[in-house]
Amino acid sequence: TTHFKGFFRVGIYFPCIISGMAVAIMWSFIFDSNQSSMLNSIIRYFGGKPFLWLDDKRWNIPLIVLTMTWRGAGGTVLIYLSAFQTVDTNYYEAARLDGASLFQRLRYITFPSIKNTILLLFILQVISVLQVFNEPLVMTNGGGPVNSSLSLMLLSYLYFTENSFGRSAAVGVILATLIIVLTLIYFYFVKKTSKEE
């Protein structure tokens, strides 16, 4: 059982150690719009019609989110597993004796016990989303179609490559300000959580 747990944790965390650019390239091959892409080949094998996955502005953002989730979910899962293990099992035993359902145990014991972890991970996720760069650059050829998947980080980069250094710097300052504010909020809650413990 111990070996299985270790294997499970390594398997879950493995995507996190892969380069962000490599992950974006891999998933862009899967979701490529041409007929020979992996996903379209599977669809054609079962008699379906190929689809313009990343070239459809209704789908490119969800597919980028899926890619980012696959890459970053491992670290989040391990942190949540660690948080779950800190919950006192005596609370669950007492709740069962009182006839509490699974939903009630989750609502009144689990979630309140890990609320600080949930909040901290949420703030970190927002900071991570603000720094999205590799996925739209590689998967949608620089924010396409029609700039529907353009991020602030990518916008700053594109302005820089067009020699619009002032615009690039302005976007960079806005992005840095947002990240600094969120980081300060993160450190505030970290300090608050450590005091409560």
Side-chain angles (χ1 to χ4, degrees):
T1 306
T2 304
H3 294 296
F4 179 75
K5 286 182 179 179
F7 177 78
F8 174 76
R9 289 176 180 176
V10 170
I12 288 292
Y13 191 73
F14 181 73
C16 296
I17 65 176
I18 303 175
S19 165
M21 190 65 72
V23 170
I25 292 171
M26 181 187 73
W27 283 93
S28 64
F29 283 139
I30 296 173
F31 293 122
D32 200 291
S33 299
N34 63 59
Q35 294 188 6
S36 60
S37 69
M38 183 182 295
L39 192 55
N40 277 336
S41 296
I42 296 171
I43 292 173
R44 285 193 301 113
Y45 178 79
F46 288 102
K49 294 182 179 180
F51 190 76
L52 301 175
W53 296 102
L54 291 171
D55 290 334
D56 190 330
K57 61 183 180 181
R58 296 171 300 175
W59 282 93
N60 55 13
I61 295 295
L63 293 177
I64 288 173
V65 170
L66 175 64
T67 302
M68 294 173 61
T69 302
W70 180 82
R71 180 171 177 253
T76 303
V77 168
L78 291 182
I79 293 172
Y80 274 124
L81 284 175
S82 177
F84 287 142
Q85 290 174 358
T86 62
V87 181
D88 193 344
T89 56
N90 292 324
Y91 294 142
Y92 292 116
E93 293 298 330
R96 287 193 190 95
L97 292 174
D98 289 338
S101 65
L102 175 62
F103 176 77
Q104 289 173 325
R105 293 197 298 271
L106 288 172
R107 180 180 178 184
Y108 295 109
I109 299 175
T110 306
F111 288 136
S113 299
I114 66 170
K115 65 180 180 179
N116 291 329
T117 302
I118 294 172
L119 182 59
L120 294 178
L121 286 175
F122 173 75
I123 295 172
L124 286 176
Q125 185 62 40
V126 174
I127 293 173
S128 176
V129 168
L130 288 174
Q131 299 179 70
V132 172
F133 178 77
N134 294 324
E135 289 79 8
L137 176 66
V138 174
M139 297 176 69
T140 60
N141 295 318
V146 201
N147 295 330
S148 59
S149 60
L150 197 62
S151 65
L152 284 176
M153 185 78 79
L154 181 57
L155 180 62
S156 179
Y157 169 77
L158 293 176
Y159 278 144
F160 187 83
T161 58
E162 295 169 359
N163 295 326
S164 298
F165 302 121
R167 291 181 178 181
S168 177
V171 174
V173 169
I174 293 171
L175 181 61
T177 302
L178 290 172
I179 291 174
I180 289 171
V181 170
L182 289 169
T183 303
L184 291 175
I185 294 172
Y186 169 76
F187 282 125
Y188 167 77
F189 282 108
V190 168
K191 188 175 180 180
K192 182 180 177 182
T193 302
S194 62
K195 285 183 178 179
E196 290 178 357
E197 292 176 351

